[in-house]
Amino acid sequence: EGEASLHYCLNNGCVTPGRGVVIVDAGGGTVDLSSYEPKDSESDTENKISFREMTRPQCHFTGSIFVKDKARQYLQNKLADSRFLEDIDHICECFDKTTKLTFKNTNEPAFIRFGRARDRDLDVGIKSGQMKLSGEVVAKFFEPSIHSIMNAVTSQQESSANNVDVVFLVGGFAANDYLFRTLTEFFKPTGLNLYRPQNYSNKAVAEGAASFYLDHFVASRIARWHYGIEMNPFFDASDPEHAQREQTSYINSVTDRRMIPNFFDTILPKNTKVAETTEFRKRYYRRYKSPPQFERDPIVDSILCYRGKQRTPRWTDDDASNYPVLCYIETHARIPAKRRHGSITGKIYYEVKYSIILSFGLTELKAQIAWTENVRLHLNLHMEKSF
């Protein structure tokens, strides 16, 4: 969505300077941030604007609905001894649909118009069917969301080596003038200029998504997480981590060699800058007692990602809840199997060699299995099949 918003901003007259831009998509539930920098076109014949992602996007649950939640907490306390407490749901809805949207500054009072002309309770500020709130009180409803955006933009700027000059504010929440002016005043001393594209409210993602297919401004992205697979490597007594896990090791019935389970093999590391044409490839082996029948027993691998805080994740049973399965990759094709002899007992087994390839062709991950077959050395012929 951040990438779609970037396309929308560029197509609506928002001229970016020669450095970076942060997109702040402030919606109802979340505030999403992503950062991009201009990238020179690889072709001298093309005069095309191109961008690359600078750092990992962020998502915060501090959208406009949380302004309404803060208002509700305040109103429940204020109306606790008033007969209008039973109308709290309706009053909050009126605040959400009108007062929240039109609130501009702390120097003027705000009004929640919810009732009839005879509705009155001066002790809680209700007169002629409307409730009066001071601007300072309403501003406090916005504070958590505003501070969240301030901190998140600062974090994006720092993660982008301070190569950011412009912040684009889009989304339904962006229509609020108090939010826009407060953020503008905060960012100005830091050298950041805040803009709202024309017709900024709710069109950014939809129109920007269409522009993605037409204009394709973003050429590279940042890997959000560590991506890889779980595997059981041969036990290595010289590896301190293997030695610590020796009690979990076992003897493989095919090769008669000691293995260690639950190893996470990273194929694409987190925070790696990935161009659309870049492939990340790792080679793997499967071993069988008899020639494999892939029509009956296909090769299936689970592509995992690590979403935890470890810098270099190594074991899936450590912080296990942060290794979700993204997808399964499967092939029934007849991959060539080589006959091998066990190094310990000399027992015959069969080994299949293949590669797993990960790429970000568009905005999502693509996974493939590849192998080499029909190799003729005198022709140097290689065929790869991907599924």
Side-chain angles (χ1 to χ4, degrees):
E1 292 185 0
E3 191 169 314
S5 297
L6 173 66
H7 282 75
Y8 179 80
C9 291
L10 292 170
N11 284 320
N12 280 272
C14 298
V15 181
T16 61
R19 300 178 75 185
V21 54
V22 174
I23 301 292
V24 179
D25 184 356
T30 64
V31 174
D32 302 291
L33 299 96
S34 49
S35 301
Y36 304 90
E37 63 181 346
K39 177 179 179 294
D40 293 335
S41 176
E42 295 180 359
S43 173
D44 294 333
T45 61
E46 292 184 11
N47 186 20
K48 180 182 177 181
I49 299 174
S50 183
F51 283 80
R52 57 190 170 204
E53 204 171 37
M54 286 195 288
T55 187
R56 291 176 61 243
Q58 296 181 36
C59 177
H60 300 275
F61 290 94
T62 52
S64 62
I65 61 172
F66 295 95
V67 178
K68 178 184 175 182
D69 289 345
K70 287 292 182 182
R72 185 184 184 90
Q73 295 171 19
Y74 173 84
L75 293 172
Q76 281 183 322
N77 291 329
K78 188 175 181 66
L79 299 175
D81 298 321
S82 171
R83 66 183 179 89
F84 290 101
L85 180 61
E86 63 186 32
D87 297 322
I88 186 70
D89 291 339
H90 176 61
I91 294 173
C92 288
E93 283 301 316
C94 292
F95 169 85
D96 191 54
K97 293 179 179 178
T98 57
T99 312
K100 184 182 74 173
L101 301 180
T102 59
F103 180 67
K104 294 183 178 181
N105 61 68
T106 60
N107 299 324
E108 299 177 1
F111 295 90
I112 307 175
R113 294 177 175 82
F114 69 92
R116 296 166 294 181
R118 66 172 179 265
D119 289 332
R120 180 184 180 93
D121 187 341
L122 296 181
D123 290 338
V124 293
I126 296 176
K127 182 180 179 181
S128 301
Q130 61 182 8
M131 185 175 186
K132 181 179 179 180
L133 300 175
S134 72
E136 290 83 357
V137 167
V138 177
K140 289 186 179 299
F141 304 157
F142 286 80
E143 281 186 359
S145 296
I146 290 175
H147 289 162
S148 171
I149 294 174
M150 291 174 176
N151 293 334
V153 170
T154 301
S155 174
Q156 288 279 303
Q157 185 184 31
E158 292 173 350
S159 300
S160 303
N162 295 318
N163 291 329
V164 174
D165 295 303
V166 172
V167 179
F168 288 145
L169 185 64
V170 300
F173 198 11
N176 182 266
D177 290 332
Y178 177 71
L179 172 71
F180 179 70
R181 187 173 61 255
T182 304
L183 291 175
T184 299
E185 293 172 355
F186 174 79
F187 290 131
K188 187 173 292 185
T190 69
L192 292 175
N193 297 305
L194 182 68
Y195 298 103
R196 287 187 296 192
Q198 189 178 8
N199 302 322
Y200 43 78
S201 57
N202 294 309
K203 295 182 178 180
V205 171
E207 292 193 12
S211 172
F212 166 81
Y213 286 96
L214 297 173
D215 304 309
H216 216 62
F217 290 130
V218 178
S220 66
R221 304 173 180 85
I222 300 294
R224 274 60 167 166
W225 312 105
H226 294 280
Y227 302 89
I229 70 168
E230 183 181 71
M231 59 177 295
N232 300 341
F234 292 126
F235 177 75
D236 181 1
S238 65
D239 186 320
E241 293 188 42
H242 283 218
Q244 291 178 1
R245 291 171 167 268
E246 185 173 6
Q247 72 277 5
T248 68
S249 65
Y250 65 96
I251 301 298
N252 184 282
S253 61
V254 176
T255 64
D256 290 330
R257 293 186 62 179
R258 186 171 293 277
M259 315 288 285
I260 191 162
N262 305 319
F263 180 75
F264 179 67
D265 192 41
T266 300
I267 301 175
L268 173 56
K270 178 180 176 180
N271 291 327
T272 301
K273 188 169 290 187
V274 183
E276 291 186 355
T277 57
T278 305
E279 291 184 345
F280 294 82
R281 177 189 297 246
K282 278 284 188 77
R283 180 172 293 174
Y284 297 99
Y285 299 86
R286 287 185 181 247
R287 299 171 179 91
Y288 304 84
K289 292 182 178 180
S290 57
Q293 301 295 321
F294 298 113
E295 297 87 349
R296 185 186 66 229
D297 298 311
I299 289 180
V300 181
D301 279 296
S302 303
I303 306 299
L304 310 179
C305 75
Y306 175 67
R307 297 175 179 264
K309 297 182 179 180
Q310 297 178 10
R311 285 179 173 269
T312 308
R314 297 262 295 171
W315 306 96
T316 58
D317 58 349
D318 185 7
D319 198 13
S321 62
N322 278 311
Y323 286 94
V325 175
L326 291 182
C327 65
Y328 298 94
I329 182 168
E330 174 179 323
T331 178
H332 292 264
R334 188 183 297 276
I335 303 177
K338 289 189 176 181
R339 183 173 173 173
R340 303 290 191 189
H341 291 83
S343 59
I344 298 176
T345 63
K347 184 166 58 176
I348 294 175
Y349 64 92
Y350 295 84
E351 182 180 84
V352 170
K353 179 172 64 177
Y354 64 98
S355 296
I356 291 180
I357 303 171
L358 302 182
S359 61
F360 283 96
L362 293 173
T363 57
E364 295 183 342
L365 184 73
K366 182 169 72 172
Q368 296 174 302
I369 285 180
W371 66 93
T372 302
E373 66 179 35
N374 297 335
V375 179
R376 301 175 182 176
L377 295 179
H378 62 285
L379 293 178
N380 195 26
L381 175 64
H382 296 270
M383 289 179 57
E384 286 193 347
K385 292 186 178 180
S386 299
F387 292 84

